């Protein structure tokens, strides 16, 4: 089974070696046919040193802790 790769923006880097990434996805509402934005926050293990506001790609990995099951692949300023 392939690992999920998501792209989002870092909203918090206050934890040691963990960042919070907000992933926004757009989809069409099935009844009203209007595009709706939905966002979700993921905790990701960070060794690249990403800062707040950076756009990052995260990949699914083994659980590092109770809430951290993604890791940062690439950080772009």
């Amino acid at each position: 089974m392939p690992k999920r790769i998501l792209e989002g923006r870092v909203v918090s880097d206050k934890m040691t070696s963990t960042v919070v990434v907000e992933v926004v996805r757009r989809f069409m509402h099935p009844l009203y046919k209007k595009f709706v934005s939905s966002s979700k926050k993921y905790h990701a293990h960070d060794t690249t040193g990403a800062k707040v506001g950076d756009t990052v790609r995260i990949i699914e990995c083994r659980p590092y802790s109770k809430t951290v099951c993604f890791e940062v692949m690439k950080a772009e300023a």
Side-chain angles (χ1 to χ4, degrees):
M1 190 164 157
K3 296 183 178 186
R4 289 188 293 170
I5 298 175
L6 304 172
E7 188 168 337
R9 193 173 52 88
V10 177
V11 293
S12 175
D13 62 351
K14 293 183 183 292
M15 295 173 274
T16 56
S17 71
T18 301
V19 293
V20 180
V21 179
E22 183 179 37
V23 176
V24 178
R25 68 184 193 96
R26 293 183 69 220
F27 60 95
M28 186 179 285
H29 192 279
L31 178 63
Y32 300 119
K33 308 301 182 201
K34 181 179 178 179
F35 280 99
V36 182
S37 292
S38 174
S39 65
K40 186 171 179 182
K41 293 180 182 177
Y42 295 95
H43 289 77
H45 182 73
D46 178 38
T47 56
T48 62
K51 298 293 179 194
V52 174
D54 290 353
T55 302
V56 296
R57 287 186 140 188
I58 56 176
I59 187 168
E60 198 172 25
C61 65
R62 66 175 180 86
Y64 282 96
S65 67
K66 180 181 174 182
T67 59
V68 179
C69 56
F70 282 88
E71 62 184 340
V72 175
M73 272 177 44
K74 188 193 310 183
E76 301 142 7

